[in-house]
Amino acid sequence: MSLVAGLLGRVLWLSGLRSGDHAQGSQAMEQDKALEVYDIIRTIRDPEKPSTLEELEVVTESCVEVHEIGEDEYLVIIRFTPTVPHCSLATLIGLCLRIKLQRCLPFKHKWFLSE
């Protein structure tokens, strides 16, 4: 987990984000974008089961963050939890999330996935 936190810190720093840089309106917009992202990814089906990632609690609303990094550009951070710690398909789930975002998000974005 500390590795993920370290990587996350680097991604946020490289994007020029600092805590407290956002106005209230910007935070509300980021929350709306996060819900939009969650609505897109929650319906992805698990590769091994007939259930969605939402039903299996692999992704939740709280696992999605969106930060504005420029005019109409956003950093999308998704933390997903495989159903078991040694899940051999975690990489495939991450790839499914990435492809779904690339195909469906209507705004420019960079992404960061972690399990």
Side-chain angles (χ1 to χ4, degrees):
M1 189 65 168
S2 63
L3 174 64
V4 171
L7 289 174
L8 180 59
R10 286 190 197 121
V11 169
L12 293 176
W13 181 77
L14 289 173
S15 300
L17 296 174
R18 304 280 187 271
S19 57
D21 282 352
H22 302 293
Q24 285 290 71
S26 178
Q27 288 178 349
M29 181 179 57
E30 290 171 357
Q31 289 175 344
D32 289 344
K33 297 278 186 198
L35 284 175
E36 184 178 350
V37 169
Y38 178 70
D39 282 340
I40 290 170
I41 64 171
R42 68 187 182 90
T43 59
I44 296 173
R45 297 257 174 219
D46 184 89
E48 290 184 315
K49 301 175 180 168
S51 303
T52 66
L53 296 182
E54 177 185 45
E55 292 168 344
L56 295 170
E57 296 181 359
V58 172
V59 295
T60 62
E61 279 186 43
S62 62
C63 77
V64 178
E65 294 178 37
V66 175
H67 300 282
E68 188 172 16
I69 58 174
E71 189 174 323
D72 294 327
E73 287 187 321
Y74 299 90
L75 173 65
V76 176
I77 301 168
I78 300 172
R79 291 180 189 88
F80 66 99
T81 308
T83 53
V84 292
H86 57 279
C87 178
S88 62
L89 295 176
T91 305
L92 182 59
I93 291 171
L95 182 60
C96 290
L97 291 167
R98 177 182 176 185
I99 297 301
K100 185 82 170 193
L101 291 177
Q102 283 179 329
R103 291 181 179 171
C104 298
L105 277 183
F107 52 85
K108 290 173 66 175
H109 62 281
K110 295 180 181 183
W111 53 271
F112 180 77
L113 299 172
S114 68
E115 63 175 279

